[in-house]
Amino acid sequence: MSRRLVFLALTFFILFTWMRPAGAVEDAQSGPALIQETMELLETHHLSHPDPAKLTDGAIQGMLDSLDDPYAEYFSAEELQGFADSLNGDLVGVGIEIRAGEQYPFVVDVIPGTPAAKGGIAAGDLIVAVNGESTEDLPLAEVVTRIRGVLDSAVTLTLRRGAQEFDLILHRAAIHVPLVEQDMLDGGTGYIKIVSFGTRTAEEFDAAMARLKADGMRSLIVDLRFNGGGYVLEAIDILDNFIADDSLAFIIDDGLGHQDEIHTQGKPAFKDLPVVVLVNGLTASASEILAGALQDHGKATLVGDTTYGKGVMQAVIPLSTGGALKLTVSRYLTPAGRDIDIVGLTPDHFVLVHDLQKEIAWQLLHPEDDPDLGFVPGSGKAALNSRELDVSIDFLQLGNERYLPLRPVLEAMLYQVAWQDGVIKIFSGREEILTLNTFNSRWNIQPGAFIEQGISYLPEKILPQLNIDINKEGNKIVLTRRLF
């Protein structure tokens, strides 16, 4: 045995004979005492002499990890404030809303009066770098973190607008992102987007509804897409607008066989208003409580995609240090007793093409209007009911047949499209009206839908079977579905 190994062996022997093992201390078998003893030993004897605060954070995180609960979190006092600020729309940044693109994130909206607005950033700009570091294929959350930072500090964004690429230096500012956005659409249809459920969401929602009512609102679209939730009571306060007083809003299940019913407590000012709610895979938590209650009570039609499926509720429990624990404390059920955890809410009308969802919601509120989809071949542009879409519609020539992109065309015509057992099923409402086989090879010509680079195409000749007229107006092609 080498002298080094002898030294190591002696060291271990001295440590283990000098220290009393944890099991030798009777009191140490209790959880808190054992944790405290372990921390003291680590502080004293570990080569790194770890910071006690870091050990404490690690111990807490370890306990939370053992719960196998993805929603359990430990917040320091600073993190707790940041969590509350994010729900309330208060942040330090430059004032842009971004979304993930194929290669780089892009700007969806610019908040007026913010550094981004003053610097000339526009919707559609690609963010190709932050402080000189490329954003190519970065997770969206990482890009957001890099753009945000310390108040008044500078951040350099490299933007691409068309063929032009340029740097813009902005100074971060305190920004309040409105929790509720409103607009008045054609035909007296109000539109309200709820960003999150913060402490002022219900108040902002009521104010938006009052303005829309004064402008002659006759129907409403509530947009809950990408809304990850927040304070449940804010969602219930909004529900009060549409559901009769003392109606069941949701059911709390504590997991021990005890259930509590939560009821509405307000006079509904808009109980007879036709409502469509937009949802998608990132509609979660308090958003699902609101959407599920409206759906169960027959007060709204859900349009979009299956929701996230967060059927459990958390409580934020303060700690003596000023921080807090966010812990899952109960499960909830919709008024009809549905447990949506993991499975989510199923829309009444599926629309998977994101840029069609709002337009289809409008169409469902105006059944008197036949949907018409116009496009100019080769232009990459399309319009539904004369309103421009961010969806490309064009012909694909295959032999002597012309094909159109199946999902956007059929969803624009108010059909629902589902894949099942390798075939495409087309529904009108809940009625299945057509089944199409698919083929992937250009040389395997047969009736059905053709798949090219992951996109399904519909044979033009099938359109008459679906009551869809195809007409040419100058250089424009117009598809119209005859509803009645």
Side-chain angles (χ1 to χ4, degrees):
M1 182 181 293
S2 70
R3 292 186 60 184
R4 176 175 172 79
L5 290 178
V6 170
F7 173 75
L8 289 174
L10 287 173
T11 302
F12 281 124
F13 175 77
I14 292 170
L15 285 175
F16 282 111
T17 54
W18 172 66
M19 292 184 233
R20 290 182 298 171
V25 183
E26 193 171 342
D27 292 341
Q29 295 311 305
S30 64
L34 182 57
I35 292 172
Q36 181 63 36
E37 182 185 23
T38 302
M39 290 178 60
E40 290 175 357
L41 292 175
L42 290 172
E43 290 174 42
T44 304
H45 300 291
H46 193 273
L47 178 62
S48 66
H49 300 290
D51 180 4
K54 187 175 182 180
L55 290 177
T56 300
D57 288 349
I60 294 172
Q61 192 58 53
M63 287 187 282
L64 294 178
D65 290 345
S66 73
L67 300 174
D68 195 24
D69 178 0
Y71 307 116
E73 290 185 75
Y74 164 63
F75 296 125
S76 65
E78 184 179 71
E79 290 168 338
L80 179 60
Q81 185 62 53
F83 173 73
D85 287 346
S86 67
L87 285 181
N88 292 324
D90 297 320
L91 54 89
V92 174
V94 299
I96 53 176
E97 178 186 348
I98 65 175
R99 191 171 297 164
E102 292 183 4
Q103 189 176 12
Y104 298 102
F106 63 95
V107 178
V108 177
D109 195 15
V110 181
I111 301 173
T114 61
K118 295 173 183 176
I121 293 181
D125 288 349
L126 298 180
I127 302 175
V128 299
V130 178
N131 289 329
E133 297 184 9
S134 174
T135 61
E136 185 176 4
D137 297 328
L138 271 184
L140 189 63
E142 175 64 22
V143 179
V144 170
T145 299
R146 292 184 182 186
I147 295 174
R148 293 180 183 176
V150 179
L151 184 66
D152 294 329
S153 62
V155 59
T156 300
L157 302 184
T158 304
L159 304 170
R160 184 178 296 166
R161 184 179 299 167
Q164 182 185 13
E165 192 167 296
F166 56 96
D167 287 341
L168 191 62
I169 300 175
L170 302 173
H171 286 82
R172 299 176 175 102
I175 294 169
H176 173 67
V177 180
L179 302 177
V180 172
E181 302 171 8
Q182 71 167 73
D183 193 12
M184 179 63 83
L185 309 180
D186 294 341
T189 296
Y191 169 81
I192 290 183
K193 177 182 178 180
I194 304 176
V195 177
S196 70
F197 291 94
T199 56
R200 298 187 298 273
T201 299
E203 178 184 341
E204 291 186 25
F205 183 89
D206 290 345
M209 290 291 285
R211 289 190 291 268
L212 290 171
K213 181 180 180 181
D215 289 340
M217 175 177 60
R218 297 194 297 274
S219 58
L220 176 68
I221 297 171
V222 178
D223 193 343
L224 295 177
R225 294 174 297 176
F226 303 103
N227 185 326
Y231 299 118
V232 172
L233 291 181
E234 294 292 311
I236 302 308
D237 284 348
I238 290 173
L239 183 63
D240 288 345
N241 285 280
F242 308 101
I243 306 294
D245 184 27
D246 200 33
S247 295
L248 182 58
F250 65 99
I251 303 164
I252 297 177
D253 187 328
D254 67 0
L256 298 174
H258 183 262
Q259 293 186 343
D260 285 319
E261 295 185 349
I262 307 301
H263 292 255
T264 57
Q265 296 182 348
K267 295 182 179 179
F270 302 96
K271 66 177 181 179
D272 297 321
L273 188 71
V275 179
V276 169
V277 177
L278 292 174
V279 295
N280 66 5
L282 294 177
T283 300
S285 192
S287 293
E288 291 175 296
I289 288 178
L290 175 58
L294 288 169
Q295 187 181 46
D296 280 2
H297 284 285
K299 293 296 183 179
T301 299
L302 267 56
V303 170
D305 200 358
T306 304
T307 63
Y308 183 84
K310 184 174 179 290
V312 291
M313 300 173 63
Q314 287 72 45
V316 177
I317 304 170
L319 295 170
S320 59
T321 58
L325 293 177
K326 179 162 72 75
L327 301 178
T328 299
V329 294
S330 61
R331 183 179 302 277
Y332 75 84
L333 310 175
T334 71
R338 291 183 292 163
D339 181 354
I340 68 161
D341 197 39
I342 300 176
V343 298
L345 294 168
T346 300
D348 300 293
H349 189 103
F350 275 96
V351 181
L352 300 191
V353 179
H354 176 270
D355 291 297
L356 285 175
Q357 291 167 344
K358 183 177 176 182
E359 191 61 42
I360 298 306
W362 183 93
Q363 189 75 57
L364 293 174
L365 291 168
H366 296 271
E368 68 279 3
D369 293 341
D370 290 337
D372 61 74
L373 176 67
F375 65 96
V376 177
S379 70
K381 295 182 179 180
L384 182 57
N385 301 325
S386 300
R387 288 181 284 274
E388 190 171 330
L389 300 171
D390 190 18
V391 177
S392 178
I393 306 290
D394 209 343
F395 289 115
L396 176 69
Q397 191 75 35
L398 187 60
N400 295 323
E401 297 288 343
R402 291 199 305 182
Y403 291 77
L404 286 164
L406 184 148
R407 186 174 292 279
V409 165
L410 293 188
E411 289 189 342
M413 297 290 101
L414 297 185
Y415 288 107
Q416 299 179 76
V417 179
W419 283 82
Q420 186 174 333
D421 299 327
V423 299
I424 297 174
K425 295 181 178 290
I426 301 169
F427 295 83
S428 179
R430 298 185 181 277
E431 179 185 1
E432 182 184 332
I433 60 171
L434 187 63
T435 298
L436 295 175
N437 294 316
T438 62
F439 61 99
N440 296 298
S441 170
R442 286 179 176 270
W443 312 110
N444 183 19
I445 308 298
Q446 56 180 292
F450 171 65
I451 300 177
E452 174 89 344
Q453 296 182 345
I455 299 175
S456 300
Y457 288 87
L458 178 78
E460 179 185 3
K461 64 184 179 182
I462 289 180
L463 295 179
Q465 297 181 44
L466 299 168
N467 292 323
I468 298 174
D469 296 329
I470 181 166
N471 298 295
K472 189 171 183 181
E473 299 176 359
N475 63 345
K476 183 170 72 171
I477 304 296
V478 179
L479 307 178
T480 305
R481 179 184 174 189
R482 303 184 304 275
L483 294 176
F484 301 105

